[in-house]
Amino acid sequence: MSEAIFDAISKAVTEGEEVEADRLVEQALEAGLAPLDILQKGVVHGITRAGELWKANEYFLPDVILAADAFKTAMQPLEPRLKEGTDGRRGGKYVIGVVEGDMHDLGKSLVGAMLTSAGFEVIDLGIDVPASRFIDAVKEHQPVIVGMGAYMTTTMLQMKTIISELEKQGLRRGLKIMVGGVPTSQEFADEVGADAWGKDALDSMQKALKLIGA
Ligand code: B12
């Protein structure tokens, strides 16, 4: 039964069936399935498939936008359940955001949800975040980790500027930096001076825990 419902959730997200995705997630939660399994095997699977179809030129922009909307709707009942049992103190504060000029928010939101489920208190700055807001958020929240997402070759370069600015202002001490997003890589992370690169949501969560020595 659980595999069938995960497949159905995945399909609803890929096909942009917002109402159906929401209904199925609620149904899976009521059936007592683990929120993390619903996230990974259903919702993440579905949005990843939409990305693959786009890459294969089988999906066009409107299809992807519908899938993105279904993803966001499906996340709504899941997010509070992922937080259950964590008080945000186990991992500490994690500031996450998408760099300026970049409106892609699915990857960042997914990573945020996974970090929440691992016990981090996630402070989500959203999309199109100017360097100054990352700096202000570090001053205000004093997180253990800052994560930046960039999904285009044109916007990824901002990460280097933000890291340099954090260093210049003496804010890098004790602060770990993670980067992620489709054009980034371990090589890129090394080049810009980040502490870790998150390949996907699971990898990002595992590396974040490693960075804080958990
Ligand atoms: C969905 C999508 C959109 C949606 C976004 C909807 C939304 N609300 O987010 C829409 C349709 C709006 C869109 C718009 C555009 N897009 Co677009 N989009 C995509 C697409 C197909 C999938 C991205 C996605 O959501 N993937 C699913 C998520 C779950 O995966 P992910 O992003 O890789 O994230 C994972 C990891 O990277 C990592 N990760 C992600 N973030 C972070 C952050 C941290 C801190 C860490 C540690 C890890 C981490 O973990 C995530 C979870 O596993 C990609 C293609 C691709 N291969 O990625 C193009 C893509 C990113 N888009 C692209 C382009 C060009 C655009 C547009 C300019 C198109 C246009 N002509 O208007 C606009 C840009 C708007 C803007 N200014 O940002 C290009 C970028 C090319 C480049 N220059 O590098 C891509 C690569 C497609 C392509 N091959 O041409 N897009």
Side-chain angles (χ1 to χ4, degrees):
M1 130 85 177
S2 56
E3 291 310 316
I5 200 158
F6 294 145
D7 288 350
I9 293 170
S10 170
K11 185 168 180 281
V13 171
T14 308
E15 294 178 357
E17 299 289 345
E18 210 174 318
V19 177
E20 183 67 355
D22 182 49
R23 189 187 68 77
L24 288 165
V25 168
E26 296 274 14
Q27 192 184 320
L29 286 169
E30 269 166 36
L33 298 177
L36 201 54
D37 282 344
I38 303 174
L39 174 72
Q40 286 174 346
K41 298 180 185 169
V43 183
V44 173
H45 191 270
I47 196 68
T48 306
R49 180 79 192 117
E52 287 166 3
L53 290 167
W54 160 288
K55 233 185 197 165
N57 293 325
E58 282 178 47
Y59 258 24
F60 300 104
L61 222 52
D63 304 307
V64 177
I65 292 171
L66 284 176
D69 286 346
F71 166 87
K72 284 186 209 159
T73 307
M75 285 304 290
Q76 276 167 20
L78 262 185
E79 266 175 343
R81 297 295 299 274
L82 287 166
K83 277 188 195 155
E84 275 172 18
T86 71
D87 59 6
R89 260 179 253 143
R90 185 156 71 93
K93 289 184 182 173
Y94 191 120
V95 165
I96 194 166
V98 173
V99 301
E100 191 166 17
D102 206 315
M103 312 295 172
H104 295 89
D105 72 350
L106 301 179
K108 178 269 300 165
S109 302
L110 251 178
V111 171
M114 285 293 277
L115 291 167
T116 301
S117 75
F120 285 92
E121 183 188 337
V122 176
I123 297 143
D124 189 344
L125 304 180
I127 54 171
D128 192 19
V129 180
S132 59
R133 267 195 65 211
F134 275 105
I135 310 289
D136 289 348
V138 168
K139 288 182 187 161
E140 185 188 340
H141 301 289
Q142 303 188 338
V144 285
I145 306 178
V146 170
M148 292 178 273
Y151 309 90
M152 300 190 285
T153 45
T154 43
T155 56
M156 66 196 276
L157 303 171
Q158 302 229 19
M159 292 171 166
K160 199 179 169 119
T161 313
I162 297 167
I163 294 175
S164 303
E165 195 53 37
L166 284 167
E167 275 163 5
K168 226 176 25 206
Q169 297 202 23
L171 297 166
R172 185 73 197 269
R173 245 170 294 120
L175 174 72
K176 302 290 183 194
I177 296 175
M178 291 183 69
V179 294
V182 73
T184 64
S185 61
Q186 184 58 56
E187 238 173 30
F188 173 78
D190 293 341
E191 201 182 300
V192 297
D195 297 289
W197 170 61
K199 182 174 176 285
D200 53 37
L202 189 64
D203 185 53
S204 300
M205 181 188 86
Q206 287 166 341
K207 285 184 178 156
L209 288 169
K210 203 169 159 206
L211 281 179
I212 61 156

